[in-house]
Amino acid sequence: MTDAPTPPPSSSPAPKAPDASRRSERSRRAILDAALELIGETGFAKLTIEAIAARAGVGKQTIYRWWPSKAAVLFEACVLEGVDPAGVELPDTGDLAADLRTVLRATVDELNDPRLDAPTRALVSETANDPELGRALTEKVLEPQLQAYARRLRAAQEAGQVDPDADVRIALELLVGPLFHRWLNRTLPLTHAYADAVLDLALRGLAPRP
Amino acid sequence: MTDAPTPPPSSSPAPKAPDASRRSERSRRAILDAALELIGETGFAKLTIEAIAARAGVGKQTIYRWWPSKAAVLFEACVLEGVDPAGVELPDTGDLAADLRTVLRATVDELNDPRLDAPTRALVSETANDPELGRALTEKVLEPQLQAYARRLRAAQEAGQVDPDADVRIALELLVGPLFHRWLNRTLPLTHAYADAVLDLALRGLAPRP
């Protein structure tokens, strides 16, 4: 977020700058942890900046100085909780099916994790109604993850394991779309077996034509 | 919804019953139409029962008599706006690809329809945080539609056009999941060409093994 805290530069001449910087980072982490904890307890609608501040042991103004809204706090907490999106890379052992199985099963575990379920739903809920927040989340968190799928599929394409004519940016959505749909709509249980079945169908669709 | 209005039985002995029933149905439709209009103008958070009542030309109490919350009003408005879920059936011309292309392109058009976009997002937003409402929406609206896909795929399976070992309840999610994912997350444009590409990959995955 553009309103993320900027620690004082380390070259600051003030003698206490390193301490202030550490304190600032500690407060920031405490606020993000508190937001994640509270969203699981109260849901987004009842989450307040006051409650986050009290749980984190900071003043309300500390939060407002760094974030414009509770949604922004939650957004950054979720970004932080996930893998650094800029550095995300799928495994590449040369076995496309095995690599994707690992990643999709891990995604199932994450979506089923009670600690992440509530904040992720709260964020989806907020972004459904707030196009600006939605675009930020898609650009900063979701799309970098999808691009990692695209890169892995492109590598498989170059290795002759995927139809050279397949559009990998679309193909990856046949993997992540069904998991997201089942999780968000709570249609049926989201399990490893489900992820494996989705993967099997998708990979058969992507196989090079004989 | 269980709180949907029940018109007086037509065998009612009161001489004015037919008029009252018609008036009741008119009010109900006016309320649902007003809710759909307003959600597009104000978003869910700022939508109020008062505003719905004013727009529909009814008293607030009329709404509260029939629905417990604004989410419930919106839920019924969306159900009404869609095809009657109990009667939904996919076309079956014998050409599976053509039939699914028709349905998926229509789904793209619906998701891109400005009149439906805002209320659908508002409902997704509400259900993400409200498991009870979410389950009701899934059970009454979503799952009947998914079952129609399952029936169409099963018919194709019986006609030898789909791998007999494929789990059609899972396969259909490779069709609807990607569309839903792209629409909700606003990753890239949701177009007919996208729906066609998803369908092509999924159907290749479902083809009978040689």
Side-chain angles (χ1 to χ4, degrees):
Chain A
M1 305 298 291
T2 50
D3 296 68
T6 309
S10 56
S11 61
S12 164
K16 287 200 171 173
D19 275 4
S21 171
R22 268 198 296 276
R23 209 160 46 232
S24 170
E25 179 56 24
R26 257 203 318 275
S27 296
R28 184 173 158 270
R29 287 302 308 244
I31 291 163
L32 297 175
D33 286 346
L36 280 180
E37 277 173 33
L38 284 166
I39 194 82
E41 297 169 18
T42 68
F44 186 83
K46 289 180 188 158
L47 181 69
T48 62
I49 293 286
E50 286 76 6
I52 297 173
R55 177 72 60 99
V58 304
K60 246 171 61 174
Q61 283 315 311
T62 302
I63 300 183
Y64 281 123
R65 198 164 62 236
W66 289 335
W67 294 279
S69 66
K70 62 180 182 177
V73 178
L74 197 64
F75 173 84
E76 190 165 331
C78 287
V79 173
L80 200 75
E81 191 66 24
V83 184
D84 172 20
V88 68
E89 209 60 61
L90 262 57
D92 188 348
T93 65
D95 183 339
L96 179 66
D99 292 345
L100 289 175
R101 193 176 304 116
T102 302
V103 173
L104 292 176
R105 286 181 174 192
T107 302
V108 165
D109 292 342
E110 271 172 32
L111 291 171
N112 285 328
D113 180 347
R115 186 174 148 82
L116 290 177
D117 182 76
T120 312
R121 282 186 195 277
L123 211 55
V124 167
S125 171
E126 272 306 288
T127 58
N129 278 328
D130 182 339
E132 198 183 330
L133 186 69
R135 270 189 291 272
L137 189 71
T138 291
E139 182 194 328
K140 288 181 196 296
V141 181
L142 181 59
E143 191 63 32
Q145 294 176 359
L146 300 184
Q147 287 301 330
Y149 279 92
R151 282 192 298 277
R152 182 65 189 86
L153 287 172
R154 210 166 286 125
Q157 220 168 18
E158 283 159 14
Q161 299 158 348
V162 161
D163 178 0
D165 292 331
D167 182 331
V168 296
R169 181 59 190 73
I170 291 177
L172 68 89
E173 294 179 59
L174 273 80
L175 300 172
V176 300
L179 270 60
F180 180 74
H181 186 269
R182 189 171 272 215
W183 168 72
L184 190 64
N185 295 304
R186 301 181 173 93
T187 48
L188 290 171
L190 183 60
T191 62
H192 284 191
Y194 173 70
D196 293 353
V198 167
L199 176 60
D200 181 55
L201 286 171
L203 283 185
R204 283 168 58 188
L206 284 171
R209 293 172 195 254
Chain B
M1 308 297 293
T2 51
D3 295 68
T6 310
S10 56
S11 62
S12 162
K16 288 203 170 168
D19 275 2
S21 171
R22 267 198 296 276
R23 208 161 45 232
S24 170
E25 179 56 23
R26 255 203 319 274
S27 296
R28 184 174 159 270
R29 285 304 308 245
I31 291 162
L32 297 175
D33 286 346
L36 279 183
E37 277 173 31
L38 284 166
I39 194 82
E41 297 168 19
T42 68
F44 187 82
K46 290 180 187 158
L47 181 69
T48 61
I49 293 287
E50 286 77 3
I52 298 173
R55 178 73 59 99
V58 303
K60 247 170 61 172
Q61 284 316 309
T62 303
I63 299 183
Y64 282 122
R65 196 164 64 237
W66 289 335
W67 295 280
S69 65
K70 63 179 181 176
V73 178
L74 197 64
F75 174 85
E76 191 165 331
C78 286
V79 172
L80 199 75
E81 191 67 24
V83 185
D84 172 19
V88 69
E89 208 61 62
L90 262 56
D92 187 349
T93 65
D95 183 339
L96 179 65
D99 292 345
L100 289 175
R101 193 176 306 118
T102 302
V103 174
L104 291 176
R105 287 181 172 191
T107 302
V108 165
D109 292 342
E110 270 173 33
L111 290 172
N112 285 328
D113 180 346
R115 188 175 146 82
L116 290 177
D117 182 76
T120 312
R121 284 186 194 275
L123 211 56
V124 167
S125 172
E126 271 308 286
T127 58
N129 279 327
D130 182 338
E132 199 183 328
L133 185 69
R135 270 190 291 273
L137 189 71
T138 291
E139 183 194 327
K140 289 182 197 295
V141 181
L142 180 59
E143 193 62 32
Q145 293 177 358
L146 300 184
Q147 287 300 329
Y149 280 90
R151 281 193 298 278
R152 182 64 188 86
L153 288 172
R154 210 167 286 123
Q157 220 167 19
E158 283 159 14
Q161 298 158 346
V162 161
D163 178 0
D165 292 331
D167 182 331
V168 296
R169 181 59 189 73
I170 291 177
L172 69 90
E173 294 179 59
L174 273 80
L175 299 172
V176 299
L179 271 61
F180 180 73
H181 186 270
R182 188 170 272 216
W183 168 71
L184 191 63
N185 295 304
R186 301 181 173 95
T187 48
L188 290 172
L190 182 61
T191 62
H192 284 191
Y194 173 70
D196 292 353
V198 166
L199 176 60
D200 180 56
L201 286 170
L203 282 184
R204 283 168 59 188
L206 284 171
R209 292 172 196 254

